[in-house]
């Protein structure tokens, strides 16, 4: 009998992405419980994890409802049995053939529009094929992206156009502005505003005899802050499954909650500059600088031991394609730690969506179930979970 | 007989990466001719293109020499017949097994070190297996990353250690600081300095009876600026194959030379803000802001028509994961152009290495061979070239 040696975090070639299943489960439970208490359906946005096993973990074997950011995600999750999907990016009309192909497979895929051109393209397809295409209208709640404003008369026109062809389903908004909130109070306000704007838009449509069965809101910060979601039918959030330094900086989670990290290896030093150089450059951690304008700028990520203990004040200060330069944050009085060449460390991401996107798969560990630092630092890899890529 | 309709830039689902073969060929010829005149071997860095057909285009069917940034590239290019390779990132000792596996397949793979720990790990493997491991010592020429300084006594120690085991081959430096040069004069200085520092390091080793057969320098800016490369044996550059807005900002190329772009589709507008919204977010163009500190900040990229004509002052001003917001650069007096929903546009990248890394493949066109704007805008796709990914 061959005894296969366990794979641990010392084994895969660095850099690679690690997913801490224990932390992820806690994050999933936290928002799941919250949504239940608020009496609203949680429709997780899978643009962060882009992984079928992660989706299965969220639903404990169930199958949705979910949100996606690309048609490639919609197709991959539909193939895996997730058949209640919102594609939450404004529809490019030439993607309608792929939408149609899913709808005729009995996938309940809703699309998003904010213009007459999009609505007309949708209605033309319905006229030609008889296939209804569930459509949400994007509502702008904070001026950060697309969408119609709640008071815009165009909203009713668009609702009537879609409803006339049996294609209207509801309204959707996203408080993207909440990512740059500077206080808990600002987050609470963003959450209230997101809910109010969506409800006003829905009301405006109903007043014009356009039935609006879906009122969809959500962003990870507002989903964790909202106190009253009266009128809202579903809550979308994606980042909460992993969390990241931006969310920690906003106070939405603690650094200890971050479930995604990148394992890197020390490849050199510049002792004269206090630098430790690793093989984790922007290719591994991404170019995202999401904490740049927060109170605490985390560079390109916070450094921890392989076991997950944060190294005081040590951040990824600079990156090139395949090099990460670790240094103490400016003003730190900590001693420069010494990590010998070959030492493995981990980097917590600024922005989990961007960092995860640099990798094809996750090495899944249950760090918190291993007792003591010795075992956690060499935590056993339980599984390798692939990501969906492309568009 | 079935007549297959040609695929054009109107066909693939957006966003996708386009490689203009005509521009790329011109860029390849330009530096190839330059290297020949300077009497130095060009060893292209394939970390930008990461594509075997691109490498084949550079060598017109020949096979190297090449530079790579990951062992995954080394293995993929070796499999494709490129057997003279420099792996130009400081070696993590636990990657030595993969290095060994290529060396025993008669791939001439040289590795890079700047510390005794790395050299000793290399020598131990040679002692255990008899396999020589060609090793370059990294020299720091401008303080931007790792490497030993040319005058550091450790350099000779390291050279002697490696030479004693038959593993020393030469020195390598990279003027990464040239990317932030502010003038042609600064570029010329960076190029001279890169050459001088490498030669001084080589001389120091030779004076201690360590034969130094390779003196390797290069970065795309300095490779296009260097006037005299006496003593240098090889020139590395990678970005030059595609070029990008950072290089155009440095004056190393023209905007018209940029061979890589991303095709995106208009999905909406915010007329009140002068915004055009596309499906090309940071997932498609990357988070790289390489032009941020140049004279002309290009946001997340310059917008062109599908045919490649630059739209006056229109840049990708902001990005989220799957949304790009196009707006006139601040201070522009141009009229806001109107592109209907569904219009395809192209985005020229800040940093070709980072933007290309967001895609799994290139749609290859020969835009310049098509006469007139009508044909170029719907240019025929001649091939789809895959990229190497991972580590």
């Amino acid at each position: 009998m061959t005894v296969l040696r366990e794979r641990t975090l010392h084994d895969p070639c660095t850099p690679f992405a690690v997913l801490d299943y224990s932390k992820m489960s806690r994050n999933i439970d936290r928002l799941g419980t919250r949504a239940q208490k608020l009496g609203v359906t949680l429709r997780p946005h899978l643009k962060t994890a882009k992984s079928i096993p992660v989706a299965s973990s969220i639903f404990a074997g169930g199958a949705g409802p979910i949100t996606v950011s690309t048609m490639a995600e919609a197709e991959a999750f539909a193939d895996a049995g997730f058949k209640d999907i919102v594609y939450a990016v404004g529809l490019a009309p030439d993607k309608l053939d792929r939408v149609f192909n899913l709808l005729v497979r009995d996938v309940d895929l809703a699309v998003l529009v904010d213009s007459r051109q999009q609505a007309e393209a949708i209605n033309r397809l319905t006229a030609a094929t008889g296939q209804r295409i569930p459509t949400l209208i994007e509502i702008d709640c904070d001026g950060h992206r697309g969408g119609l404003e709640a008071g815009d008369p165009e909203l009713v026109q668009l609702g009537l156009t879609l409803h006339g062809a049996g294609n209207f389903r509801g309204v959707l908004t996203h408080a993207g502005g909440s990512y740059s909130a500077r206080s808990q109070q600002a987050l609470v306000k963003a959450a209230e505003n997101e809910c109010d704007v969506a409800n006003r838009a829905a009301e405006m449509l109903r007043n014009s005899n356009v039935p609006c069965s879906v009122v969809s809101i959500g962003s990870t910060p507002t989903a964790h802050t909202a106190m009253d979601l009266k009128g809202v039918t579903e809550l979308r959030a994606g980042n909460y499954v992993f969390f990241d330094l931006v969310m920690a900086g906003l106070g939405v989670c603690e650094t200890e909650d971050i479930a995604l990290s990148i394992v890197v290896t020390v490849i050199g030093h510049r002792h004269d500059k206090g630098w430790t150089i690793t093989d984790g450059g922007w290719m591994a951690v991404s170019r995202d600088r999401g904490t740049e304008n927060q109170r605490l700028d985390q560079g390109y990520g916070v450094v921890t031991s392989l076991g997950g203990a944060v190294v005081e004040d040590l951040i990824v200060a600079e990156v090139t394609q395949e090099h990460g330069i670790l240094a103490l944050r400016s003003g730190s009085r900590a001693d420069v730690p010494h990590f010998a060449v070959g030492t493995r460390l981990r980097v917590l991401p600024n922005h989990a969506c961007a960092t995860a996107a640099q990798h094809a798969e996750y090495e899944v560990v249950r760090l918190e179930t291993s007792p003591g630092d010795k075992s956690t630092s060499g935590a056993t890899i339980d599984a390798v979970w692939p990501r969906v890529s492309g568009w």
Side-chain angles (χ1 to χ4, degrees), chain A:
Chain A
M1 195 183 99
T2 312
V3 179
L4 290 172
R5 193 174 71 82
E6 283 181 337
R7 281 174 79 242
T8 75
L9 290 184
H10 288 289
D11 293 312
C13 203
T14 55
F16 62 90
V18 177
L19 178 51
D20 183 330
Y21 186 87
S22 314
K23 293 185 180 199
M24 181 184 79
S25 296
R26 207 168 54 201
N27 298 339
I28 288 170
D29 288 348
R30 181 177 161 204
L31 192 59
T33 305
R34 196 162 203 284
Q36 211 164 22
K37 281 191 188 155
L38 287 164
V40 70
T41 299
L42 182 59
R43 180 185 285 280
H45 203 320
L46 292 171
K47 78 183 181 72
T48 308
K50 293 205 185 209
S51 169
I52 289 158
V54 170
S56 300
S57 304
I58 296 173
F59 295 104
I66 64 170
T67 313
V68 300
S69 68
T70 65
M71 283 306 298
E73 290 166 49
E75 289 157 354
F77 287 108
D79 287 346
F82 294 86
K83 305 215 164 175
D84 179 355
I85 307 177
V86 168
Y87 170 37
V89 173
L91 182 73
D94 62 7
K95 292 186 174 114
L96 265 174
D97 54 346
R98 292 170 73 181
V99 170
F100 180 82
N101 288 341
L102 285 181
L103 289 168
V104 297
R105 285 171 49 194
D106 281 332
V107 176
D108 183 30
L109 175 68
V111 299
L112 188 64
V113 305
D114 67 355
S115 72
R116 226 175 282 196
Q117 298 99 299
Q118 291 164 304
E120 284 164 1
I122 286 168
N123 284 358
R124 270 197 302 276
L125 185 59
T126 300
T129 64
Q131 175 64 52
R132 290 187 175 190
I133 300 163
T135 303
L136 304 171
I137 297 179
E138 183 168 10
I139 307 298
D140 171 32
C141 69
D142 57 9
H144 78 288
R145 211 163 65 189
L148 297 173
E149 290 182 4
D152 190 333
E154 183 64 20
L155 171 59
V156 171
Q157 278 309 311
L158 206 50
L160 286 167
T161 300
L162 288 162
H163 178 55
N167 287 333
F168 183 70
R169 180 168 285 177
V171 292
L172 177 150
T173 191
H174 169 61
S178 67
Y179 281 67
S180 47
R182 295 291 190 129
S183 66
Q184 181 63 18
Q185 203 184 2
L187 277 183
V188 170
K189 265 202 151 163
E192 281 173 1
N193 177 63
E194 187 180 39
C195 178
D196 287 352
V197 170
N199 275 320
R200 265 192 290 136
E203 219 36 49
M204 197 169 157
L205 287 157
R206 289 174 188 138
N207 290 342
S208 304
N209 294 317
V210 180
C212 184
S213 61
V214 168
V215 179
S216 179
I217 69 161
S219 75
T220 287
T222 56
H224 287 80
T225 319
M227 299 304 291
D228 178 5
L229 294 182
K230 201 167 163 236
V232 167
T233 64
E234 64 180 37
L235 192 59
R236 303 178 331 278
N239 186 288
Y240 79 99
V241 172
F242 291 170
F243 280 134
D244 54 28
L245 294 167
V246 169
M247 290 300 143
L250 283 171
V252 174
C253 70
E254 302 295 325
T255 303
E256 292 70 41
D257 297 325
I258 300 173
L260 177 75
S261 58
I262 307 302
V263 178
V264 301
T265 301
V266 174
I267 59 170
H269 301 88
R270 284 299 300 253
H271 296 296
D272 53 331
K273 303 181 182 222
W275 289 355
T276 302
I277 301 178
T278 76
D279 62 359
W282 56 252
M283 200 79 181
V285 302
S286 94
R287 265 282 185 203
D288 197 283
R289 288 284 288 107
T291 57
E292 188 172 17
N293 296 313
Q294 289 192 329
R295 263 185 300 270
L296 191 58
D297 182 345
Q298 307 284 25
Y300 289 90
V302 161
V303 181
T304 79
S305 67
L306 192 58
V310 169
V311 183
E312 188 186 354
D313 284 345
L314 194 68
I315 61 172
V316 183
E318 198 43 81
V319 286
T320 58
Q321 188 160 345
E322 298 290 352
H323 296 82
I325 295 180
L326 314 185
L328 295 178
R329 67 176 81 255
S330 86
S332 168
R333 293 179 180 194
D335 291 329
V336 177
H338 180 71
F339 298 109
V341 167
T343 305
R344 291 188 169 207
L345 298 168
R346 287 202 276 147
V347 177
L348 301 177
N350 271 328
H351 186 177
C353 310
T355 301
Q358 301 295 106
H359 297 267
E361 57 197 21
Y362 307 105
E363 307 284 337
V364 183
V365 297
R366 285 180 172 80
L367 290 182
E368 296 182 329
T369 58
S370 314
D373 190 64
K374 187 173 162 286
S375 4
T376 54
S377 66
T380 303
I381 294 166
D382 293 324
V384 180
W385 286 355
R387 279 174 52 89
V388 176
S389 64
W391 291 269

